């Protein structure tokens, strides 16, 4: 249980275009989802937290107009990289929180999207 | 596909050692990672181990890898209340920039 499906796993796009990454919870309702970015051989950097039906909360230094996050349903969150540039090339990964045994919770992750902007 | 499994919860007393276990299925895993997530924060890379190593020690942290059984463990010596967090095991099959598969995380509760 608690599976998150992330697509695409790998995408190449031209500079100036936009790319949408989807993250779906398959067997549970994800009221909270997280978007991370990972630079080579570094920790994942939290970009934003999204709650279903409300605006995402962005971490300091993350441009919300560039990285559009939509969490319109309990099973789907999307990250759109707008007007992508080569410096946006990175590994993006989503995470969703799920609850178990009442008040406890865990995190499950998508398999990640490697974005290359040329 | 690849799968990484961890137990969801571990409770230890302050001063004791904590051992968090992880199993994975991908035999081509090259890097195995341990991340720590404190409440409200992102993931912090604690340590990683190459698949050709059996053990790696870093201060209070000891990572053991049994490649034959595809079993990874993280031992925290002299566990402190500040170690309370969620610990994620992860694996990738190349140098940290390819697909990374995470476990669901183990919540470590340290009892004073």
């Amino acid at each position: 249980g608690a599976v998150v499906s992330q697509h695409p796993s790998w995408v190449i796009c031209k500079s100036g275009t936009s790319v949408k990454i989807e993250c779906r919870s398959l067997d549970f309702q994800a009221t909270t989802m997280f978007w991370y970015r990972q630079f080579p051989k570094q920790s994942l950097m939290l970009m934003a937290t999204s709650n279903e039906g409300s605006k995402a909360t962005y971490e300091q230094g993350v441009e919300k107009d560039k990285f559009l996050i939509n969490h319109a349903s309990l099973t789907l969150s999307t990250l759109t990289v707008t007007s992508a540039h080569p410096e946006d090339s990175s590994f993006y990964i989503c995470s969703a929180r799920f609850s178990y045994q009442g008040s406890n919770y865990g995190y499950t992750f998508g398999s990640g999207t490697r974005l290359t902007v040329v | 596909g690849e799968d990484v499994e961890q137990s969801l919860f571990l409770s230890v007393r302050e001063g004791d050692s904590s051992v968090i276990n992880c199993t994975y299925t991908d035999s081509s895993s090259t890097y195995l990672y341990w991340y720590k997530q404190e409440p409200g924060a992102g993931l912090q890379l604690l340590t990683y181990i190459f698949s050709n190593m059996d053990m790696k020690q870093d201060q209070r942290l000891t990572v053991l890898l049994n490649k034959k059984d595809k079993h990874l463990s993280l031992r925290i010596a002299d566990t402190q209340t500040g170690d309370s967090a969620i610990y994620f095991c992860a694996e990738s099959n190349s140098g940290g920039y390819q697909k990374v598969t995470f476990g669901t995380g183990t919540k470590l509760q340290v009892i004073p």
Side-chain angles (χ1 to χ4, degrees), chain A residues 76-94:
Chain A
L76 175 65
S77 178
T78 61
L79 167 67
T80 301
V81 183
T82 62
S83 187
H85 290 283
E87 58 265 29
D88 298 325
S89 298
S90 192
F91 184 76
Y92 295 86
I93 191 165
C94 67

Side-chain angles (χ1 to χ4, degrees), chain A residues 2-7 22-24 34 91-96 107-113, chain B residues 99-102:
Chain A
V3 176
V4 166
S5 174
Q6 183 173 345
H7 295 281
E22 290 190 350
C23 193
R24 291 180 185 274
F34 307 86
F91 184 76
Y92 295 86
I93 191 165
C94 67
S95 172
Y107 295 90
T108 186
F109 288 84
S111 54
T113 298
Chain B
K99 177 181 175 180
V100 177
T101 303
F102 288 84

Side-chain angles (χ1 to χ4, degrees), chain B residues 66-78:
Chain B
N66 182 329
K67 195 174 179 182
K68 175 176 171 288
D69 294 339
K70 298 189 184 68
H71 181 267
L72 182 74
S73 68
L74 173 70
R75 179 177 180 270
I76 306 172
D78 188 24

Side-chain angles (χ1 to χ4, degrees), chain A residues 12-101:
Chain A
I12 299 176
C13 71
K14 289 186 177 180
S15 231
T17 62
S18 295
V19 173
K20 180 184 283 189
I21 303 169
E22 290 190 350
C23 193
R24 291 180 185 274
S25 58
L26 299 185
D27 50 1
F28 68 103
Q29 292 183 331
T31 54
T32 306
M33 283 193 173
F34 307 86
W35 286 95
Y36 291 84
R37 177 176 179 176
Q38 185 182 33
F39 295 96
K41 298 184 180 180
Q42 294 185 28
S43 286
L44 296 173
M45 179 191 78
L46 180 64
M47 297 174 67
T49 303
S50 72
N51 293 295
E52 183 265 336
S54 61
K55 289 184 179 180
T57 302
Y58 289 80
E59 296 298 301
Q60 193 172 6
V62 178
E63 299 175 62
K64 59 183 178 184
D65 293 331
K66 182 167 187 61
F67 298 99
L68 299 178
I69 291 172
N70 184 285
H71 193 166
S73 80
L74 286 170
T75 60
L76 175 65
S77 178
T78 61
L79 167 67
T80 301
V81 183
T82 62
S83 187
H85 290 283
E87 58 265 29
D88 298 325
S89 298
S90 192
F91 184 76
Y92 295 86
I93 191 165
C94 67
S95 172
R97 184 160 61 193
F98 65 95
S99 61
Y100 67 98
Q101 295 176 358

